[in-house]
Amino acid sequence: MIAWVVSAITLLTAAVPVTRERLNTFAALIGLSVTETNARQIIDHFSGLRRWRLIALTLAVPLACLTNDLFYLVLGWCAVSVFRDVRLPVPVLHAHDDANIYRQAWLLGLGGAVVADGYLLVTQGATPARLAHAVIVIVVAAAVPLAARKLSARPAPEASDDIAQAELAIGQWSTRTLYLAGTATVLSGALLIPGQPPQRELPEYSMPKSFPEHMGTFETVDKYKGPTCAWTNQMDDPCRSWLVNEALFSQAAPYIVGKGGAPQRAPFVRSPDKKAVVYLGRHDRRMVYQDAGGIHYLTGSLADTVVPTPTFAVQSRYVALAKNSAQIIDTRTWTTLSIPGAQQVHDLNESGIVVTTASQVLVLDHRGKTRMALPLRKIKNVAPEDTYHLRSDGSRFVVVRGDETLVETFDPRTGKRVSSVVPKIPDADFLDIGLGWSKEGPFLVRTYNSKRVYYLDLATGKLWRRQK
């Protein structure tokens, strides 16, 4: 959103016509007497500069908005001043007296940009955006000296009329602008990075709280068990509470009551490493994260009809809460990414997020930007639901369609399907669900009747079992 607003302001500024006041300011700063003879030359210079700047910004604005990278706005604004006078090296006649100050500023800025860009490439990695910035900085660093050599030449000594004076003044002004524009471009290329949606800080009540005396605690959750009594308005009976390590865990709500439906067990999930749980608070009706160190409130008070489904992901680091939208919470930094419309989070790893909305299956990056989308199928009867799996390096996305005994593989970078296979299940069994990639490398699937787990070759559909 910020990139769009800044882009609009930049375009409006560039579109401001060349006014008399602007020409008078130029003449006063440069010490030039504007006459009828040289006025047209000066007007043509600034009009041409404005025209080419608008053209450059017209190309830069969509790029800046699509990448959320304000550097391209700086490049679009400054490109005309840097590149319009680029020529192959020409002999330098006489340097403008005041050019050295701006040249020194340019050299200092270039040196700072090289150091900053090198440091960021080493510490933050060579991301595509960072490499694109580095290439542009190198091109600008090469272009500025070439343009400066052309601009630094004075008119011939015998040329003393008004036109020659105007040409000299424009050259001095352009040299100054060249060095300043070059400095701004290389510094912004090193220091500006593509913007990311702000990670919304959790509210003040997300800070860890100490345990009241009546709350159940644990070091690790070895066992847990849901309420066994039928739902009633009176829930003081121990059999209507969750048990953790066979001890009463009374702070977790046992049931939720939806619209027009029977009461259901309230959400309660254990992390894969058995060190934390997420549950609905019994009394305040907030979603709560709890581990041995304390509790964190993940939401405010919720009506039963909007209580989300929690899941853990990426070695228990992330918690996903999904209902009519999804929130993915980092349990180390307690920041959250909101995904509007996501009704279920299916996969979350280092390379991205897989969610389903009311009509689509989406593969997103960690900023919430869609990488690819598929139509969501509605499964009827008792057939297994489709399962979705994103490889940890982001190179493959697999959809297992149990009702069709079909496994489809897609390339998330292009959205194209790269294979579609029907595994031959032995013993008249059926394909149930996918289990993701094994530690050994091949993809894993499970059959419906025998519950056996097989390796699957995604290209050929061949199945085999691991040799013990």
Side-chain angles (χ1 to χ4, degrees):
M1 184 64 181
I2 294 176
W4 288 93
V5 173
V6 175
S7 297
I9 294 173
T10 304
L11 268 178
L12 290 174
T13 303
V16 173
V18 178
T19 61
R20 180 183 296 274
E21 289 74 16
R22 182 176 175 184
L23 297 177
N24 290 338
T25 301
F26 162 74
L29 288 175
I30 210 69
L32 174 69
S33 297
V34 180
T35 66
E36 293 183 1
T37 306
N38 61 20
R40 174 49 55 187
Q41 184 180 9
I42 298 171
I43 293 172
D44 289 346
H45 170 78
F46 283 100
S47 297
L49 190 65
R50 171 179 173 270
R51 181 173 61 255
W52 285 106
R53 179 168 288 146
L54 278 173
I55 293 173
L57 284 172
T58 301
L59 299 175
V61 164
L63 188 59
C65 292
L66 290 175
T67 62
N68 204 20
D69 190 348
L70 296 179
F71 167 65
Y72 293 107
L73 289 181
V74 179
L75 179 63
W77 186 276
C78 297
V80 179
S81 298
V82 172
F83 294 106
R84 73 194 305 257
D85 291 302
V86 171
R87 300 288 190 277
L88 292 177
V90 298
V92 178
L93 301 179
H94 300 282
H96 298 303
D97 296 335
D98 59 349
N100 286 331
I101 297 175
Y102 298 100
R103 181 174 179 275
Q104 291 172 5
W106 150 252
L107 292 175
L108 286 174
L110 179 60
V114 170
V115 172
D117 220 354
Y119 174 78
L120 292 173
L121 283 171
V122 171
T123 58
Q124 297 183 8
T127 63
R130 181 65 63 194
L131 288 175
H133 285 207
V135 170
I136 293 171
V137 167
I138 292 172
V139 172
V140 171
V144 168
L146 296 179
R149 291 177 72 88
K150 193 264 182 183
L151 289 170
S152 62
R154 288 181 183 271
E158 62 274 9
S160 59
D161 57 10
D162 292 344
I163 293 179
Q165 292 300 319
E167 182 180 349
L168 177 59
I170 290 172
Q172 291 175 333
W173 183 269
S174 298
T175 301
R176 177 190 302 178
T177 306
L178 166 70
Y179 283 130
L180 292 177
T183 304
T185 303
V186 296
L187 286 177
S188 62
L191 301 179
L192 289 181
I193 60 173
Q196 298 181 357
Q199 296 282 333
R200 181 174 60 86
E201 293 291 340
L202 292 175
E204 58 185 1
Y205 49 71
S206 69
M207 298 302 293
K209 309 291 183 181
S210 58
F211 297 111
E213 293 182 1
H214 66 276
M215 291 185 68
T217 61
F218 55 84
E219 292 296 324
T220 60
V221 181
D222 300 314
K223 297 179 181 179
Y224 68 100
K225 186 178 181 181
T228 57
C229 300
W231 179 87
T232 67
N233 289 330
Q234 302 297 323
M235 296 188 182
D236 293 335
D237 194 311
C239 67
R240 297 190 180 97
S241 297
W242 288 87
L243 299 178
V244 172
N245 298 335
E246 300 183 352
L248 201 64
F249 204 74
S250 59
Q251 63 263 38
Y255 295 99
I256 57 174
V257 182
K259 289 183 178 180
Q264 307 174 38
R265 280 187 180 178
F268 188 104
V269 295
R270 178 181 65 176
S271 64
D273 61 8
K274 301 182 180 181
K275 294 181 179 181
V277 293
V278 171
Y279 56 87
L280 178 68
R282 184 184 188 117
H283 302 290
D284 55 20
R285 314 305 280 187
R286 294 189 281 188
M287 295 301 297
V288 181
Y289 172 94
Q290 180 174 335
D291 57 16
I295 61 176
H296 289 264
Y297 294 119
L298 304 180
T299 69
S301 182
L302 301 170
D304 281 13
T305 54
V306 296
V307 171
T309 300
T311 53
F312 280 91
V314 191
Q315 299 178 341
S316 309
R317 174 173 177 175
Y318 294 93
V319 175
L321 304 177
K323 185 69 174 179
N324 296 322
S325 63
Q327 287 75 42
I328 298 175
I329 302 160
D330 187 332
T331 61
R332 294 182 188 174
T333 62
W334 300 107
T335 55
T336 182
L337 171 67
S338 295
I339 307 175
Q343 298 182 348
Q344 187 174 354
V345 178
H346 295 271
D347 201 355
L348 170 64
N349 58 36
E350 296 85 352
S351 65
I353 308 162
V354 181
V355 302
T356 50
T357 66
S359 59
Q360 288 184 303
V361 183
L362 301 177
V363 180
L364 312 168
D365 62 21
H366 281 279
R367 295 183 295 171
K369 183 178 179 181
T370 300
R371 298 175 59 193
M372 68 167 289
L374 296 172
L376 178 65
R377 298 192 321 144
K378 300 296 184 182
I379 307 299
K380 298 181 180 179
N381 302 324
V382 293
E385 295 284 342
D386 293 350
T387 55
Y388 312 99
H389 308 272
L390 181 64
R391 193 167 180 172
S392 59
D393 62 4
S395 63
R396 289 292 182 266
F397 174 56
V398 171
V399 181
V400 178
R401 307 194 187 279
D403 64 326
E404 297 180 358
T405 317
L406 179 67
V407 180
E408 296 179 301
T409 305
F410 298 84
D411 184 344
R413 293 166 293 194
T414 63
K416 294 182 178 180
R417 185 170 60 186
V418 296
S419 68
S420 178
V421 297
V422 178
K424 295 182 179 180
I425 312 295
D427 303 325
D429 208 342
F430 302 95
L431 185 64
D432 185 14
I433 61 172
L435 301 175
W437 280 265
S438 64
K439 293 181 180 179
E440 294 79 13
F443 191 79
L444 295 173
V445 294
R446 189 179 70 194
T447 57
Y448 184 77
N449 293 327
S450 65
K451 303 301 180 185
R452 291 177 178 173
V453 176
Y454 290 89
Y455 291 125
L456 169 66
D457 188 320
L458 295 171
T460 65
K462 178 183 177 182
L463 291 174
W464 72 98
R465 299 196 70 185
R466 181 175 61 183
Q467 298 296 324
K468 296 185 179 179

